[in-house]
Amino acid sequence: AQSVTQLDSQVPVFEEAPVELRCNYSSSVSVYLFWYVQYPNQGLQLLLKYLSGSTLVESINGFEAEFNKSQTSFHLRKPSVHISDTAEYFCAVSDRAGGTSYGKLTFGQGTILTVHP
Amino acid sequence: DTGVSQDPRHKITKRGQNVTFRCDPISEHNRLYWYRQTLGQGPEFLTYFQNEAQLEKSRLLSDRFSAERPKGSFSTLEIQRTEQGDSAMYLCASSSTGAWGFGPGTRLTVT
């Protein structure tokens, strides 16, 4: 069984400040790791994913996350946030269900990021 | 790539009625998943299909819930005798090697 813990339910920050959204997971097997973003009244959008290789992964809009196997963490960071980053962010894990096919996702509770002007 | 689509987007029903939701996955994806998301929570896994075979069901999926994927393409999720606790967003996702996609969800309100 897998579980995901997002340590902060809400994170308020000012525009252009750095932010870190924390995620810890537990699993008895190797996993894939994901961050999803959900804007108000919209569906889930994949922000970035770790499958293998470099432990630092980046998104196209300036977010990055680092897989730390020893600490079983996958924290999300951005050096300078914008108002438009206001959304709910979900960390998720998937077991490696055969090759690179993805198994079911187990999600954290979500972190609401609110960027203030 | 037309993405994962779900129908309807919103459904309001009275307690005790049956409802059915449809999900059309990305065409080349052989895996299809249903999740439920309640306010303030992350999505919770309900069930999973590989092609037309339903391979896993969560304990959350009571006997009132049934899902099908008859030809390995679209899927339906039916809830019988709806209860107020069934009010949630029902999400469909599909995946294949190297890719995942989520639908916009069906928001169910049981009055």
Side-chain angles (χ1 to χ4, degrees):
Chain A
Q2 299 157 340
S3 66
V4 178
T5 302
Q6 291 183 241
L7 297 161
D8 306 292
S9 59
Q10 297 191 50
V11 174
V13 294
F14 287 106
E15 195 173 18
E16 298 183 5
V19 71
E20 179 180 78
L21 306 184
R22 296 179 292 169
C23 172
N24 287 93
Y25 71 92
S26 68
S27 177
S28 57
V29 299
S30 296
V31 296
Y32 299 124
L33 293 156
F34 305 83
W35 275 99
Y36 282 86
V37 59
Q38 188 172 37
Y39 298 100
N41 300 314
Q42 294 189 27
L44 289 165
Q45 299 176 31
L46 179 65
L47 190 60
L48 47 74
K49 60 187 177 185
Y50 169 77
L51 305 181
S52 64
S54 172
T55 57
L56 185 65
V57 290
E58 298 177 352
S59 72
I60 58 173
N61 58 353
F63 283 94
E64 64 178 31
E66 186 162 19
F67 169 51
N68 187 319
K69 188 174 182 180
S70 62
Q71 297 186 5
T72 60
S73 68
F74 191 55
H75 301 331
L76 181 69
R77 302 184 183 95
K78 189 170 185 179
S80 176
V81 295
H82 303 288
I83 297 286
S84 60
D85 293 325
T86 294
E88 189 162 17
Y89 292 78
F90 293 96
C91 181
V93 299
S94 168
D95 60 10
R96 294 175 177 248
T100 55
S101 295
Y102 304 157
K104 67 184 181 186
L105 292 171
T106 300
F107 287 86
Q109 302 277 65
T111 297
I112 297 173
L113 173 64
T114 305
V115 181
H116 298 284
Chain B
D1 180 1
T2 57
V4 180
S5 62
Q6 293 187 245
D7 184 69
R9 295 291 304 275
H10 302 273
K11 179 72 177 177
I12 299 174
T13 190
K14 292 187 177 181
R15 185 166 54 91
Q17 297 295 305
N18 299 343
V19 294
T20 300
F21 310 141
R22 176 179 170 125
C23 169
D24 287 89
I26 295 170
S27 58
E28 61 269 25
H29 286 185
N30 60 345
R31 294 178 177 227
L32 187 147
Y33 305 79
W34 285 98
Y35 293 84
R36 182 173 68 189
Q37 185 178 18
T38 53
L39 200 62
Q41 302 293 321
E44 296 172 295
F45 170 77
L46 292 179
T47 190
Y48 148 58
F49 291 85
Q50 180 153 329
N51 300 313
E52 66 274 11
Q54 188 173 19
L55 297 186
E56 187 173 351
K57 293 168 60 173
S58 163
R59 287 173 295 175
L60 294 175
L61 214 64
S62 76
D63 291 345
R64 297 184 297 106
F65 288 70
S66 63
E68 296 183 343
R69 194 183 183 196
K71 296 184 180 179
S73 57
F74 73 91
S75 175
T76 58
L77 177 68
E78 181 183 14
I79 309 174
Q80 295 182 328
R81 305 180 304 281
T82 52
E83 302 173 355
Q84 287 188 320
D86 297 331
S87 294
M89 176 76 84
Y90 290 84
L91 297 169
C92 177
S94 66
S95 78
S96 184
T97 303
W100 263 97
F102 270 89
T106 294
R107 182 169 296 283
L108 172 67
T109 302
V110 181
T111 61

